[in-house]
Amino acid sequence: MDIRSGTPSSEPSATDLTPAPTSLRWRVSTAFTVLKCGAAIGLVLAGVFAAADNRMLTAALVAAAILGVYALRDIVAPVRLAADLDGVTVVSGYAGRQHVAWAQVERMRVDARSRGGMRSELLEIDAGEHLFLLSRYDLNAHPADAYEELLRLRGF
């Protein structure tokens, strides 16, 4: 954290001398992945204990399967966005990766919307025919912070 007194200084601060990073990575929260796995296991156990009621068993197993699929994606592809001096690599589809050179990135921005009293932010990376949308969950960071880091890496 850089704290400034409000009076101008002629000396560069330590943050001004820090070189820009050469690679960055954003990954999903490990704690949230563990929570999903635990919830899936809990749903399976609840379904087993409610095995007498077929509808409850079915609902619990379907919910557990959905959570399990999402948790598996977090385990298989935890890094959702990586960037280096050549470009960005984004998870595409369930667990595929797509590398986009900086020259192909037409625009990056943070899309912030308010709906139903909730505010959501998405990092948009527009690469022509492909539009990548990454949430706070995908990045485990605020999209605006990731955007600033990407701009710094890219040299803007």
Side-chain angles (χ1 to χ4, degrees):
M1 177 189 255
D2 186 21
I3 301 174
R4 299 181 186 226
S5 64
T7 58
S9 172
S10 60
E11 296 180 26
S13 69
T15 58
D16 295 337
L17 299 176
T18 306
T22 57
S23 67
L24 299 166
R25 292 174 15 150
W26 288 271
R27 59 184 299 129
V28 296
S29 169
T30 304
F32 197 56
T33 302
V34 170
L35 180 66
K36 281 188 218 177
C37 291
I41 291 168
L43 284 167
V44 168
L45 291 175
V48 168
F49 287 119
D53 183 1
N54 284 338
R55 285 187 286 174
M56 184 177 268
L57 174 64
T58 303
L61 293 179
V62 167
I66 291 170
L67 267 175
V69 167
Y70 280 118
L72 183 62
R73 181 179 189 227
D74 292 350
I75 293 167
V76 171
V79 176
R80 300 294 166 86
L81 174 64
D84 57 22
L85 298 175
D86 296 327
V88 294
T89 303
V90 184
V91 169
S92 178
Y94 186 75
R97 288 178 173 53
Q98 184 170 354
H99 181 77
V100 179
W102 286 118
Q104 295 173 312
V105 175
E106 294 177 5
R107 182 174 72 154
M108 291 187 305
R109 72 182 187 115
V110 176
D111 181 38
R113 296 175 188 247
S114 294
R115 290 187 183 154
M118 302 275 298
R119 180 175 172 84
S120 67
E121 291 184 352
L122 293 173
L123 174 63
E124 284 186 11
I125 300 175
D126 186 356
E129 293 184 20
H130 300 284
L131 179 64
F132 301 101
L133 302 172
L134 300 155
S135 68
R136 178 176 167 78
Y137 165 74
D138 292 318
L139 302 170
N140 197 22
H142 288 288
D145 295 340
Y147 172 74
E148 293 296 326
E149 290 294 319
L150 286 171
L151 287 180
R152 185 172 175 212
L153 176 68
R154 193 173 179 184
F156 285 105

